[in-house]
Amino acid sequence: MALHAPVLVLKDSLKRESGAKVQHGNIQAAKAVSDIIRTTLGPRSMLKMLLDASGGIVVTNDGNAILRELDIAHPAAKSMIELSRTQDEEVGDGTTSVIVLAGEMLHVAETFIEKNYHPTVICRAYSRALEDAIAVLDKIAMPVDVNDLGMYHDVGEAMLGLVKSSIGTKFTGQFGDLIADLAIDATTTAGVDLGQGMREVDIKKYIKVEKIPGGQLEDSKVLKGVMFNKDVVAPGKMRRKIVNPRIILLDCPVEYKKGENQTNAELMSEEDWKVLLDMEEEYIKNLCVQILKFKPDLVITEKGLSDMAMHYLSKAGVSAIRRLRKTDNNRIAKACGAVIVNRPEELQESDVGTRAGLFEVKKIGDEFFSFIIECKDPKACTVLLRGASKDILNEVERNLQDAMSVARNILKNPKLLPGGGASELTVSATLKQKSSSVEGVEKWPYEAAALAFEAIPRTLLQNCGLNVIRTMTQLQGKHANGENPWVGVDGRTGDIVDMKERKIWDSYSVKAQTFKTAIESACMLLRIDDIVSGIKKKQAPGAGAPKQPQIETGEDADTEQMIPE
C-alpha cells in the first residue's frame, strides 16, 4: 500500500487548537475574568482603580465599568465581557453577579470535561437547571402594587428598599437614601403609563444627568424640569428670570435664509444693495412677527439666531436662546408641554409650552446654566449632581444610572425577590432536591449547576470577611428543608437574617436575566471545541485596487518618492 503525503487543509500561518484543550483554556479565561471582579460584589466590596495610557483614572466597583475599560486578548474572556454589557443594556444592574455566576458554572463543568463528558450533555443539564431555577424564582417572587408608589413623598417601601439594596453595594451606599431617592424621583417623574399597572421609562432620552463639580453631594437634586448649559443671547437686554413663561421651541434658524446651493448676485448700483438689505430685514421682521403673534416669553431654537432677530425679540421683551442640542430641546418639549416647530409660519397656540413655572439663568462656578423648572407634570427631568471632584461625580453618575435602571425595572415588571444571596440559596436547595429525579448521565452536571448558584452568597461572605464554610453550612441548613426562602446574608454585618425584615430586595427581572445570561453563555463557551486564529479579514467588495508599491530610500523609508513617468 502506497504511503500518501499528508493533506494540508489549513494554511501554515493559521493557529489551531481543538478538543478538551480549548474548553480548558476557555474555562480558565472565564475564571480569570470572574476573579478580577469577584471582590466587587456586595456592600463590603473593594474598588478597582484603572489607569489608561493617557493617565486618566477610573475608580469604581461597577462590574460593567471595570470590564469595559480592560483590554483583553483571550476570545473567551472577551465574550464574558460582552455578558456584562448585555446585562447592563437589558436591565442595568447585576453586571458583577452575571460574570461571577457564569465563571462558577464553567468552573464546575471542568470536572466533567476531564471525565470525558460530552459538552452537549453538560449543556442539556444546564438548560434544564435554568428552566427549573426560573420556575423557583416565579414561585418565591413577591408582586408589588406599583400604583402605591404615588409621587415622591410616599414612595412604596418596597421600591425604596429595592433601589437601596441595589446601590448599597456601590460607592454611594454610604450616603444612605440620597441616590435611591434621586433615582426613584427621576423615574417616577419621567414614567409613561402603559396601562395595567405597568410603566415605561426612557432613561436615556428623558432623564439627563448634569454633573457640576463643587458643592456637596447632598446638594444634588432632581429638578421638576430641565437645565442646560446655555445663557440667553443678549444678557444685558433680555430677562434672565421669567415666572410662568410661555415657551416656543423651534428647530429652524431665525436668520436670513441663504440659498440652498451657492448663488451669486451681481449688483450694478448702490440702490440694489440697499434693496437686498431691506429684503433681508423684511424677511427677518416677518419671521419675528410670526413668532411674536403668540406672545412668547422665551424662544429657543436649535439653529442660529441673527443679531437683527435678537433686536426685534429683545424689543418685544422676549428672551431667546440659540444653538441648543436636539436632545435638550426634546426634553424641554416633554417638560413644559411645547411642540417643536419647523417653520414659524405654522405656529399654533397649542404648540406653545405653558406648563413651566419658572425660567431662570443662574451662574454655577464659571458657567451659566438655564433652568426651566417647577413644571406641572413634566415627562422629562434633569438630575443635578454636585460633588467634590470629577472622579467622584463620574462614580456617582454610574451608581445613579444603576439605581434608575432598577427603579425602571420595578415599574415595568413589579415583582421582588429576596436579596443577600437568599434567592440563589433557595434555587440551589430546590435544584439539589430535584436532581434525585433527574435520570441518566445528566444528573451530575445538573447537581453541579445547583451548587454553582451558591457562588453568589459565598462571594458575599468572602467580601464581608467571614468564616465562609461555617456560615454557608448554616445557610444551607436553613434552606435545605425549604422552610424560609427569605433567609440570606446581610452584606454589611455578615449576619444571617430574614431579608424581609432588613428590606434587602432584588428585582425579579434583574435576577431572571442574570441566570439566563450566565447559563446560556456558559453553555455557549462549553460547546466551542475548536479555535482557529490568524484568519485574515476579507476585503470589502469594491474596495479599490491595491495600493501602488512604495519606493523606499535608505535615508527615510517612510516617505514615498515620486516615480517619474
Side-chain angles (χ1 to χ4, degrees), residues 49 308 351:
M49 180 182 258
M308 198 173 292
D351 300 336

Side-chain angles (χ1 to χ4, degrees), residues 23 26-27 30 79-80 83 98 101-109 113 119 122-123 126 515-528:
Q23 276 134 1
N26 285 350
I27 290 172
S79 82
M80 287 288 278
L83 285 191
V98 77
L101 194 56
E104 190 68 18
M105 287 287 171
L106 288 164
H107 173 58
V108 295
I113 301 271
I122 305 176
C123 293
Y126 275 12
F515 287 4
K516 286 176 193 161
T517 315
I519 291 181
E520 281 168 12
S521 68
C523 290
M524 184 190 76
L525 286 175
L526 285 173
R527 280 165 54 185
I528 296 170

